[in-house]
Amino acid sequence: MKIRNITLEADGIDKYPAKQHVRAVASKLRSPDGLIYLLGQYAFTIEDSDQAKTWRQRRYFYYCSGVDIPNCCLTYDISADELSLYIPEIKPERVLWEGRGPTIEEAEGRYDVDSVYLNEQLFDHLDQWKKGNPKSTFYILHKDHRPVGESFSKVDCEKLKHAIDLCRVIKDTHEIECIRRANKISAVAHLAVLRNVSRFRSEAQIQGIFEDACISKGAKQSYPVIAASGENAGTLHYAKNNEPLQGRQLVCLDAGAAFQCYTSDVTRTFPISGSWPSHEAKNIYSIVQMMQEHCIEGLRPGVKMYDLHILAHKIAIAGLLALGILHNGTEAEIFEAGTSRGFYPHGLGHHLGLETHDVLDIPIMHYAMDDGAALLAHGRDDQPPLEEGMVITIEPGIYFSRYELNRAYLSSPVHTKYINQEVLKDYWAVGGVRIEDDLLITADGYENLTKTPKGEAALTIIREGSHSSHRLED
């Protein structure tokens, strides 16, 4: 069983398991001694302004500390098994303006560390460690993270990142619970959109109510909200969210809450009116729904994500052939040509955790963005299989991007013969359909962490509006 259990508690909520995490990192370094040094994110102001930049904690630091306040750093003495947190001194003259951070005593009770010190004590402690460990390695993430003015006999700025990446891939129970709670808040926010979208006039209102629901539940955004209506949904990371909804068939809402730095990544596509505005929109949604359902059913330890990605492409090709958008070839011929990538250009999913696109040295969709015959590369030995304790997304889609199809497919003799442009013109207004859920890989399969309504359930909520009595699943 790879999912590690956490028993520490603080104020009725699991205390972040920093000590367990850093011990696991040290074991990946395979060194009996050394000092791990991690730098937290410092607070800065915007250039030529006294306004603060939006602050976001460094995720590698957070993984080993659970500390989400600025201007801190962390050391872990491997041989002594000593985890030390360094925090900024409270400046009384700034408390009126900015409030204050924790005292040493408060930080000792709040965080799973052995000792808490002020930042100004760091250099003395580093000097003491060097004298007692003259041949040990000083581990840092990047060359520029070395403390200013300090020199060490052995400095390693490569192994630490790899070690933390390996640990972050498999989530423990605390991390899973944070992702689960992020998904619950996302579901509440998506539900608020569905209940109100029929009266909205702009994409901005969709973004506004989603963010309002998240903030009201104590969450932040995992990434900027994508509220793409009509043909805007053909832009995968559409960010403007400033166009009117009038005359648009569908909305592709890609938006997720983050809880205690852990993310969710949820996409739903739905008609604004609560009923399908065209046969074209309904048919494309049905194909993407089938892509997602079949790929989710295939999740279990040992499966390679790329094999499911190939399955999604084959379902897409069969569906587009049935609609007449693709023609003049067999499923195998169109697959081999790679023409389906004009409509499904991205990978099936990614790791999820402290980052929306979470870490792994070799991504589970390593070849998804390669060119040409990469679609045929499934089964290669260096594609990592899924493991128990991973949290991933499954997010197939079909898109009608005028720019991309004209640029790379309709102008290509390899692809244009397979694309029926007379039929295609009826699908531009669909824009794009994507459906995305977050899934935990379990010992015998998977658990879907995403409870956001989709498909016909979502349409029912849109039609019922603010009177909808829909209850989210636990």
Side-chain angles (χ1 to χ4, degrees):
M1 183 73 173
K2 290 196 175 183
I3 302 174
R4 302 177 295 275
N5 292 319
I6 306 303
T7 57
L8 290 171
E9 293 185 358
D11 300 327
I13 300 173
D14 284 352
K15 182 183 288 190
Y16 191 85
K19 191 69 177 287
Q20 176 177 291
H21 284 184
V22 78
R23 282 173 173 164
V25 170
S27 72
K28 300 296 184 184
L29 290 173
R30 300 184 183 278
S31 175
D33 55 25
L35 190 72
I36 294 171
Y37 174 74
L38 287 163
L39 186 64
Q41 182 61 59
Y42 278 68
F44 296 99
T45 56
I46 299 170
E47 184 178 7
D48 299 325
S49 172
D50 64 354
Q51 297 296 306
K53 286 185 178 180
T54 300
W55 182 84
R56 182 180 188 269
Q57 185 61 280
R58 286 187 167 119
R59 283 346 194 205
Y60 288 90
F61 174 85
Y62 187 85
Y63 182 78
C64 293
S65 69
V67 176
D68 197 25
I69 57 175
N71 308 336
C72 298
C73 58
L74 191 77
T75 63
Y76 178 65
D77 187 331
I78 295 173
S79 61
D81 188 31
E82 180 80 14
L83 183 61
S84 300
L85 172 66
Y86 295 82
I87 63 175
E89 181 181 5
I90 295 170
K91 296 181 179 179
E93 69 276 12
R94 299 304 303 170
V95 172
L96 172 66
W97 298 93
E98 300 162 358
R100 70 166 178 85
T103 64
I104 287 177
E105 292 75 16
E106 289 168 343
E108 286 174 338
R110 185 180 304 172
Y111 305 116
D112 181 27
V113 297
D114 296 303
S115 304
V116 180
Y117 304 100
L118 296 178
N119 282 335
E120 62 191 32
Q121 298 173 273
L122 173 67
F123 291 98
D124 287 341
H125 292 175
L126 291 179
D127 289 339
Q128 293 171 18
W129 180 82
K130 284 189 294 183
K131 291 176 182 178
N133 302 271
K135 297 182 180 180
S136 293
T137 302
F138 186 68
Y139 294 99
I140 54 177
L141 280 178
H142 307 289
K143 290 181 179 180
D144 61 352
H145 284 195
R146 186 198 304 246
V148 176
E150 291 288 329
S151 61
F152 300 85
S153 59
K154 293 171 64 179
V155 177
D156 189 300
C157 58
E158 295 180 357
K159 293 181 180 179
L160 181 57
K161 183 177 184 297
H162 175 67
I164 299 177
D165 285 351
L166 290 175
C167 293
R168 283 174 59 178
V169 167
I170 305 298
K171 273 60 179 181
D172 58 40
T173 54
H174 181 100
E175 295 177 288
I176 292 166
E177 181 57 27
C178 287
I179 298 171
R180 194 188 309 278
R181 292 180 70 171
N183 264 278
K184 287 182 178 179
I185 296 170
S186 291
V188 170
H190 276 272
L191 183 60
V193 172
L194 294 174
R195 284 174 169 162
N196 291 277
V197 69
S198 63
R199 64 180 179 84
F200 286 166
R201 295 184 177 182
S202 72
E203 296 167 340
Q205 289 176 286
I206 295 174
Q207 177 182 349
I209 198 169
F210 187 92
E211 292 181 350
D212 173 74
C214 292
I215 292 169
S216 298
K217 294 291 185 179
K220 298 180 180 179
Q221 299 304 299
S222 297
Y223 49 91
V225 170
I226 298 169
S229 65
E231 291 195 36
N232 292 335
T235 300
L236 302 182
H237 288 171
Y238 175 77
K240 292 181 179 179
N241 301 340
N242 62 356
E243 294 193 11
L245 298 177
Q246 185 175 2
R248 307 290 170 85
Q249 292 195 21
L250 302 177
V251 171
C252 181
L253 176 59
D254 188 338
F259 179 78
Q260 293 184 4
C261 294
Y262 282 86
T263 62
S264 61
D265 191 356
V266 180
T267 307
R268 294 293 183 260
T269 305
F270 47 85
I272 298 166
S273 65
S275 59
W276 295 110
S278 67
H279 293 299
E280 290 81 8
K282 183 177 181 180
N283 288 336
I284 295 302
Y285 187 92
S286 295
I287 296 171
V288 176
Q289 184 178 41
M290 187 181 302
M291 292 163 70
Q292 195 201 36
E293 288 175 352
H294 280 73
C295 290
I296 288 176
E297 288 172 3
L299 292 174
R300 63 184 182 276
V303 168
K304 291 190 175 181
M305 190 79 157
Y306 201 81
D307 291 346
L308 298 177
H309 177 70
I310 296 299
L311 173 62
H313 265 279
K314 291 183 175 179
I315 295 171
I317 291 169
L320 295 175
L321 276 168
L323 296 179
I325 298 172
L326 296 177
H327 68 167
N328 291 338
T330 65
E331 293 180 22
E333 289 169 339
I334 294 171
F335 174 79
E336 186 173 355
T339 305
S340 57
R341 294 193 61 179
F343 302 92
Y344 174 28
H346 57 75
L348 179 63
H350 51 80
H351 283 287
L352 188 73
L354 286 170
E355 296 286 356
T356 306
H357 298 155
D358 213 27
V359 295
L360 183 63
D361 278 359
I362 303 177
I364 50 176
M365 289 304 306
H366 189 43
Y367 297 101
M369 299 308 293
D370 288 352
D371 292 328
L375 281 178
L376 305 178
H378 93 266
R380 289 171 60 165
D381 291 339
D382 52 355
Q383 294 170 8
L386 298 176
E387 299 179 47
E388 181 186 356
M390 288 181 172
V391 178
I392 63 167
T393 66
I394 296 291
E395 51 176 308
I398 292 178
Y399 310 87
F400 300 93
S401 168
R402 287 182 189 266
Y403 177 85
E404 181 63 12
L405 285 169
N406 281 308
R407 180 192 72 84
Y409 292 87
L410 297 179
S411 61
S412 166
V414 174
H415 302 298
T416 190
K417 65 181 179 181
Y418 295 127
I419 301 174
N420 188 332
Q421 296 189 51
E422 281 301 307
V423 176
L424 177 62
K425 67 182 182 181
D426 294 330
Y427 286 84
W428 293 124
V430 174
V433 173
R434 181 167 63 252
I435 311 172
E436 179 179 19
D437 288 9
D438 304 337
L439 299 113
L440 167 67
I441 305 302
T442 61
D444 56 358
Y446 67 90
E447 177 191 348
N448 194 331
L449 303 177
T450 301
K451 307 304 180 183
T452 301
K454 55 184 172 181
E456 291 302 321
L459 268 62
T460 299
I461 296 167
I462 295 171
R463 290 192 295 269
E464 293 176 346
S466 59
H467 300 293
S468 172
S469 59
H470 182 91
R471 295 178 63 86
L472 296 170
E473 299 177 35
D474 292 330

